[in-house]
Amino acid sequence: MDKIVIEGGNRLVGEVAVSGAKNAVLPLMAAALLTSDWTTITNVPKLRDIDTFKKLLVHLGAEIAPDTPDGTLKIRTRDVAAPEAPYDMVKTMRASVLVLGPLVSRFKRARVSLPGGCAIGARPIDLHIKGLRQMGAEITIESGYVEVRAERLKGAKIYMDTATVTGTENLMLAAVHADGTTILENSALEPEVVCLADTLNRMGAHIVGAGTDTIRIEGVTELRPVEVRVIPDRIEAGTFMVASAMTRGNVFIKDCPYHYLDALNTKLKETGTEVTEEDGGVRVIGDWPIRSVDVKTIPYPGFPTDMQAQIMAMMAIGSGLSVITETVFENRFMHVSELQRMGANITVDGRCAVVRGVKRLSGAPLMATDLRASASLILAGLVAEGKTEVSRIYHLDRGYERIETKLKALGANIERVKE
Ligand code: EPZ
């Protein structure tokens, strides 16, 4: 296994290009199940989660063209041998449940393992299942699998109790072939949802309202394959923005639409960080002292839960006291104990973490626990005194393409070494 070793203290200066968004690619790969010819997705980052999803699609019977250096992914699903997503695949990546909607929509049946919990919370899929049931699917849950059958799904009016990103995407993927109109109420507003809806419309679907809390999908009979370029990864961009802010850097983040990150932009400005839109990207200039601010994560367009661990690393060296509230997941403070080992002064009480800024963090051997927690440990290592070693960085590789290479190019003293 690899680990990342950082000597802290360097300012980050320069320009970094953001890769394609992992959380946009995954639903697009699921959408490739809806048509029998080649679907082409470009600007695809090289990430573990995408490799995992490829394995699942091949297991289902899809053909995947060999990788290309420029990140072009071609998928064709002429038929599926058995529409089943097994536990050993789903347990490694919850987003595997995204095959449920397209499989039952095109092949009239699906058998997908329930994802089970993960490091950051229980993360059930009850809303995915409830929506499919409302569309007339026959659903049985046994021995940890959900079996879904439907000759043809029927359009329905579905209210989702929680704004669920993959729930919205799964039901959209199910509804495109349904008989009649489906209305998803309280749907997720994320740009990744919009990217999926735009792509499905280019395939011949009739979807309106993506990006709002009410999405209307009229079922169609045929969908044709398309070529689609994936939107930039706003969470990777946000991670580099915080890295520049924390290290008193001056970094230009290319190809990242400023408006994807409004909540983060606002928060960073409150800390005294300079955040400006420039040539289709964002320039972030940091300085000390970093003003401590309170942060509350809420669904898009609010402050992203996927940026909570990163902003906490920044508040760990803030000038005062910061209250960070995590409202989306019930256990997304796994990074706290590792940050405390670096000297951070953080107290957790339920969904709130109280962070009292300290002058300096000190480097330490650390262990990553989940994708965004690992990013926060890397960020803390960039500013800590001395050496920081982060192990189990396979968590990091799920969602960041060569982060150490990109940070090194900005001036960080960082290496990936064999453990
Ligand atoms: C998506 O996960 C993202 N993953 C997550 O990114 C992200 O953290 C999350 O949305 C929130 O923004 C992908 O898009 C592949 P949810 P998802 O369903 O869809 C509850 C990363 O770091 N819920 O929006 O699984 C759930 O428990 C990952 O890239 C139900 O109760 O999240 C959670 O508390 C981590 N029942 C809340 O909704 C359901 O049926 C939001 O979850 C579904 C969800």
Side-chain angles (χ1 to χ4, degrees), residues 6 20 51 111 117 141 149 170 173 204 215-216 267 340 348 376 378 395:
I6 305 168
D51 291 343
R111 185 169 188 271
I141 295 178
R149 289 180 181 281
N170 221 343
L173 289 161
I215 300 177
R216 187 187 176 85
K267 274 299 156 188
Q340 285 167 336
V348 172
S376 79
I378 300 290
H395 290 289

CSV table of all heavy atoms in Angstrom, one decimal, residues 6 20 51 111 117 141 149 170 173 204 215-216 267 340 348 376 378 395:
chain,number,residue,atom,x,y,z
A,6,ILE,N,4.7,14.4,3.6
A,6,ILE,CA,4.8,15.8,3.4
A,6,ILE,C,5.7,16.5,4.4
A,6,ILE,O,5.6,16.2,5.6
A,6,ILE,CB,3.3,16.4,3.5
A,6,ILE,CG1,2.3,15.7,2.6
A,6,ILE,CG2,3.3,17.9,3.2
A,6,ILE,CD1,0.9,16.1,3.0
A,20,GLY,N,-12.1,15.9,-14.4
A,20,GLY,CA,-13.5,15.7,-14.5
A,20,GLY,C,-14.1,15.2,-13.2
A,20,GLY,O,-13.4,14.6,-12.4
A,51,ASP,N,-12.8,2.9,-11.8
A,51,ASP,CA,-12.4,1.5,-12.1
A,51,ASP,C,-13.4,0.5,-11.5
A,51,ASP,O,-13.8,-0.5,-12.2
A,51,ASP,CB,-11.0,1.3,-11.6
A,51,ASP,CG,-10.0,2.1,-12.4
A,51,ASP,OD1,-10.3,2.5,-13.5
A,51,ASP,OD2,-8.8,2.2,-11.9
A,111,ARG,N,-31.1,-7.0,-9.7
A,111,ARG,CA,-30.9,-7.5,-8.3
A,111,ARG,C,-29.6,-6.9,-7.8
A,111,ARG,O,-28.5,-7.2,-8.3
A,111,ARG,CB,-30.8,-9.1,-8.4
A,111,ARG,CG,-30.6,-9.7,-7.0
A,111,ARG,CD,-30.7,-11.3,-7.1
A,111,ARG,NE,-30.8,-11.9,-5.8
A,111,ARG,CZ,-29.8,-12.3,-5.1
A,111,ARG,NH1,-28.5,-12.1,-5.6
A,111,ARG,NH2,-29.9,-12.8,-3.9
A,117,GLY,N,-23.7,0.2,5.4
A,117,GLY,CA,-23.2,1.5,5.9
A,117,GLY,C,-21.8,1.7,5.3
A,117,GLY,O,-21.3,0.9,4.6
A,141,ILE,N,-37.0,-7.6,-0.8
A,141,ILE,CA,-35.7,-7.4,-0.2
A,141,ILE,C,-35.4,-8.7,0.6
A,141,ILE,O,-36.2,-9.0,1.5
A,141,ILE,CB,-35.7,-6.2,0.7
A,141,ILE,CG1,-35.8,-4.9,-0.1
A,141,ILE,CG2,-34.3,-6.1,1.5
A,141,ILE,CD1,-35.9,-3.6,0.6
A,149,ARG,N,-38.5,-5.8,-10.2
A,149,ARG,CA,-39.1,-6.3,-11.4
A,149,ARG,C,-40.2,-5.4,-11.9
A,149,ARG,O,-41.0,-4.8,-11.1
A,149,ARG,CB,-39.7,-7.7,-11.3
A,149,ARG,CG,-38.7,-8.8,-11.1
A,149,ARG,CD,-39.3,-10.2,-10.9
A,149,ARG,NE,-38.3,-11.2,-10.7
A,149,ARG,CZ,-37.6,-11.7,-11.7
A,149,ARG,NH1,-37.8,-11.3,-12.9
A,149,ARG,NH2,-36.6,-12.6,-11.4
A,170,ASN,N,-30.9,8.0,-9.7
A,170,ASN,CA,-31.4,6.7,-9.9
A,170,ASN,C,-32.9,6.7,-10.5
A,170,ASN,O,-33.2,6.0,-11.4
A,170,ASN,CB,-31.4,5.9,-8.6
A,170,ASN,CG,-30.9,4.4,-8.8
A,170,ASN,OD1,-30.9,3.9,-9.9
A,170,ASN,ND2,-30.5,3.8,-7.7
A,173,LEU,N,-33.0,7.9,-14.0
A,173,LEU,CA,-32.6,6.9,-14.9
A,173,LEU,C,-33.7,5.8,-15.1
A,173,LEU,O,-33.8,5.2,-16.1
A,173,LEU,CB,-31.3,6.2,-14.4
A,173,LEU,CG,-30.0,7.1,-14.5
A,173,LEU,CD1,-28.9,6.6,-13.5
A,173,LEU,CD2,-29.5,7.2,-15.9
A,204,GLY,N,-32.2,11.7,-26.1
A,204,GLY,CA,-33.6,11.6,-26.5
A,204,GLY,C,-34.6,11.6,-25.4
A,204,GLY,O,-35.8,11.5,-25.7
A,215,ILE,N,-38.3,18.0,-10.7
A,215,ILE,CA,-37.8,17.5,-12.0
A,215,ILE,C,-38.9,16.7,-12.7
A,215,ILE,O,-39.5,15.8,-12.0
A,215,ILE,CB,-36.5,16.7,-11.9
A,215,ILE,CG1,-35.4,17.5,-11.2
A,215,ILE,CG2,-36.1,16.1,-13.3
A,215,ILE,CD1,-34.1,16.7,-11.0
A,216,ARG,N,-39.2,17.0,-13.9
A,216,ARG,CA,-40.3,16.4,-14.6
A,216,ARG,C,-39.7,15.5,-15.8
A,216,ARG,O,-38.9,16.1,-16.6
A,216,ARG,CB,-41.2,17.5,-15.2
A,216,ARG,CG,-42.5,17.1,-15.8
A,216,ARG,CD,-43.2,18.3,-16.5
A,216,ARG,NE,-44.4,17.8,-17.2
A,216,ARG,CZ,-45.6,17.7,-16.6
A,216,ARG,NH1,-45.7,18.0,-15.3
A,216,ARG,NH2,-46.6,17.3,-17.2
A,267,LYS,N,-17.6,31.7,2.2
A,267,LYS,CA,-16.9,31.3,3.5
A,267,LYS,C,-15.5,31.6,3.4
A,267,LYS,O,-14.9,32.2,4.4
A,267,LYS,CB,-17.1,29.8,3.7
A,267,LYS,CG,-18.4,29.4,4.4
A,267,LYS,CD,-18.5,30.0,5.8
A,267,LYS,CE,-20.0,30.1,6.2
A,267,LYS,NZ,-20.1,30.9,7.4
A,340,GLN,N,-6.4,15.9,15.6
A,340,GLN,CA,-6.0,16.1,17.1
A,340,GLN,C,-4.6,15.6,17.3
A,340,GLN,O,-3.8,16.2,18.0
A,340,GLN,CB,-7.0,15.4,18.0
A,340,GLN,CG,-8.4,16.2,18.1
A,340,GLN,CD,-9.4,15.3,18.8
A,340,GLN,OE1,-9.4,14.1,18.7
A,340,GLN,NE2,-10.5,16.0,19.3
A,348,VAL,N,-15.9,17.5,19.7
A,348,VAL,CA,-17.1,17.0,18.9
A,348,VAL,C,-18.2,16.8,19.9
A,348,VAL,O,-18.0,16.1,20.9
A,348,VAL,CB,-16.8,15.8,18.1
A,348,VAL,CG1,-18.1,15.2,17.4
A,348,VAL,CG2,-15.8,16.1,17.0
A,376,SER,N,-8.3,16.1,4.0
A,376,SER,CA,-8.1,17.1,5.1
A,376,SER,C,-6.8,16.9,5.8
A,376,SER,O,-6.1,17.8,6.2
A,376,SER,CB,-9.3,17.1,6.1
A,376,SER,OG,-9.1,16.0,7.0
A,378,ILE,N,-4.1,15.7,4.3
A,378,ILE,CA,-3.1,16.2,3.4
A,378,ILE,C,-2.9,17.7,3.5
A,378,ILE,O,-1.9,18.3,3.7
A,378,ILE,CB,-3.4,15.8,1.9
A,378,ILE,CG1,-3.5,14.3,1.7
A,378,ILE,CG2,-2.4,16.5,0.9
A,378,ILE,CD1,-2.3,13.6,1.7
A,395,HIS,N,-8.0,5.4,0.1
A,395,HIS,CA,-9.2,6.2,0.2
A,395,HIS,C,-9.1,7.5,-0.7
A,395,HIS,O,-10.1,7.9,-1.3
A,395,HIS,CB,-9.4,6.7,1.7
A,395,HIS,CG,-9.7,5.5,2.6
A,395,HIS,ND1,-11.0,4.9,2.6
A,395,HIS,CD2,-9.0,4.9,3.6
A,395,HIS,CE1,-11.0,4.0,3.5
A,395,HIS,NE2,-9.8,4.0,4.1
